[in-house]
Amino acid sequence: MVQQLLTLVRMTVTTGVEATQAAEETTRLFGLDMQLIHDTLIMAVNVFLIFFILSYLVFNPARKMLSGRREKVEADIASAEQDKKDADALKKEYEARLSQADDEVEEILSQARRKALRNEAEIVAEAKEEAARLMNRADLEIERERRKALEGMKQEIIDIAGAMAQKAVAEKMDVDIQEELLNDTLKEMGEDTWQN
């Protein structure tokens, strides 16, 4: 009996639970009950609070760090662009200096060529002048030697003519007369005869 009673209680409890479950199912809209809506709202508030706290504690510092990093990258890019402009300016200046150096080298070489040509012309002119001086000196030396030879020949001719006249006249004439006769003879013949 007790057992029957227990079974009866069990049945009534199970049918009661089933009845309440069936009644609850009819009051729920899409299977939602008030507890679920309440839990969902609390969870939404909790998520919002967690998002707000994380935003304050984590996201804002992360945003600041990212903003600082972005500013640093932008500054590095601006610095790189400025460095590139400076490098381009230095490159242009270097190329201009190279071009100027090439021009200076060409000018120096041109001046050296002109100076070498002037020096060459001066050396040639000096050599010509020296050759002309040597030729003049040689001509003067030749002329002096020729005159000396002519004087020597004249003297020998005089000596020979004197010796001949002396033999011819033998002892009748004296030395003054002989010289006078010789000079007269030379004047009549002319100096050109002896120079040729």
Side-chain angles (χ1 to χ4, degrees), residues 124-176:
V124 168
E126 287 175 5
K128 286 181 180 179
E129 288 175 9
E130 184 65 26
R133 279 195 303 266
L134 288 175
M135 290 294 287
N136 286 339
R137 193 178 312 149
D139 287 343
L140 289 174
E141 189 68 30
I142 290 170
E143 182 65 26
R144 189 171 54 231
E145 289 297 322
R146 190 175 68 82
R147 285 186 186 175
K148 215 188 232 186
L150 285 176
E151 287 294 322
M153 282 177 35
K154 208 184 217 183
Q155 191 59 40
E156 282 184 33
I157 290 173
I158 290 173
D159 289 343
I160 291 173
M164 286 173 51
Q166 193 173 15
K167 282 184 182 180
V169 176
E171 296 197 4
K172 292 185 183 177
M173 283 196 203
D174 66 349
V175 176
D176 290 335

Side-chain angles (χ1 to χ4, degrees), residues 81-191:
E81 288 176 359
Q82 184 63 35
D83 290 346
K84 184 178 178 184
K85 288 178 185 176
D86 292 345
D88 287 341
L90 286 174
K91 181 181 176 185
K92 288 178 183 176
E93 182 181 343
Y94 175 73
E95 289 173 353
R97 284 187 180 177
L98 278 179
S99 175
Q100 184 180 8
D102 288 342
D103 293 343
E104 288 176 5
V105 165
E106 283 299 319
E107 180 63 28
I108 290 170
L109 288 175
S110 176
Q111 288 176 356
R113 286 184 197 115
R114 287 193 299 265
K115 187 175 181 180
L117 289 174
R118 277 196 310 266
N119 287 343
E120 178 186 13
E122 288 175 4
I123 290 170
V124 168
E126 287 175 5
K128 286 181 180 179
E129 288 175 9
E130 184 65 26
R133 279 195 303 266
L134 288 175
M135 290 294 287
N136 286 339
R137 193 178 312 149
D139 287 343
L140 289 174
E141 189 68 30
I142 290 170
E143 182 65 26
R144 189 171 54 231
E145 289 297 322
R146 190 175 68 82
R147 285 186 186 175
K148 215 188 232 186
L150 285 176
E151 287 294 322
M153 282 177 35
K154 208 184 217 183
Q155 191 59 40
E156 282 184 33
I157 290 173
I158 290 173
D159 289 343
I160 291 173
M164 286 173 51
Q166 193 173 15
K167 282 184 182 180
V169 176
E171 296 197 4
K172 292 185 183 177
M173 283 196 203
D174 66 349
V175 176
D176 290 335
I177 296 172
Q178 285 178 3
E179 280 186 27
E180 190 177 320
L181 283 174
L182 185 58
N183 284 335
D184 288 341
T185 307
L186 286 176
K187 284 180 187 175
E188 287 175 10
M189 291 172 67
E191 281 191 31

Side-chain angles (χ1 to χ4, degrees), residues 16-59:
V17 170
E18 289 176 7
T20 53
Q21 284 178 353
E24 283 179 11
E25 285 181 14
T26 58
T27 60
R28 292 187 199 172
L29 183 63
F30 303 115
L32 297 175
D33 62 357
M34 284 306 283
Q35 183 65 35
L36 183 62
I37 293 171
H38 182 265
D39 290 343
T40 305
L41 286 174
I42 288 176
M43 189 184 303
V45 169
N46 285 338
V47 167
F48 178 73
L49 285 174
I50 288 173
F51 180 76
F52 181 74
I53 290 170
L54 285 177
S55 173
Y56 181 74
L57 295 177
V58 177
F59 296 146

Side-chain angles (χ1 to χ4, degrees), residues 63-91:
R63 283 186 196 120
K64 286 180 184 177
M65 183 189 72
L66 289 175
S67 173
R69 183 144 177 109
R70 183 182 306 118
E71 289 173 1
K72 184 178 183 287
V73 167
E74 288 173 356
D76 289 346
I77 289 172
S79 174
E81 288 176 359
Q82 184 63 35
D83 290 346
K84 184 178 178 184
K85 288 178 185 176
D86 292 345
D88 287 341
L90 286 174
K91 181 181 176 185

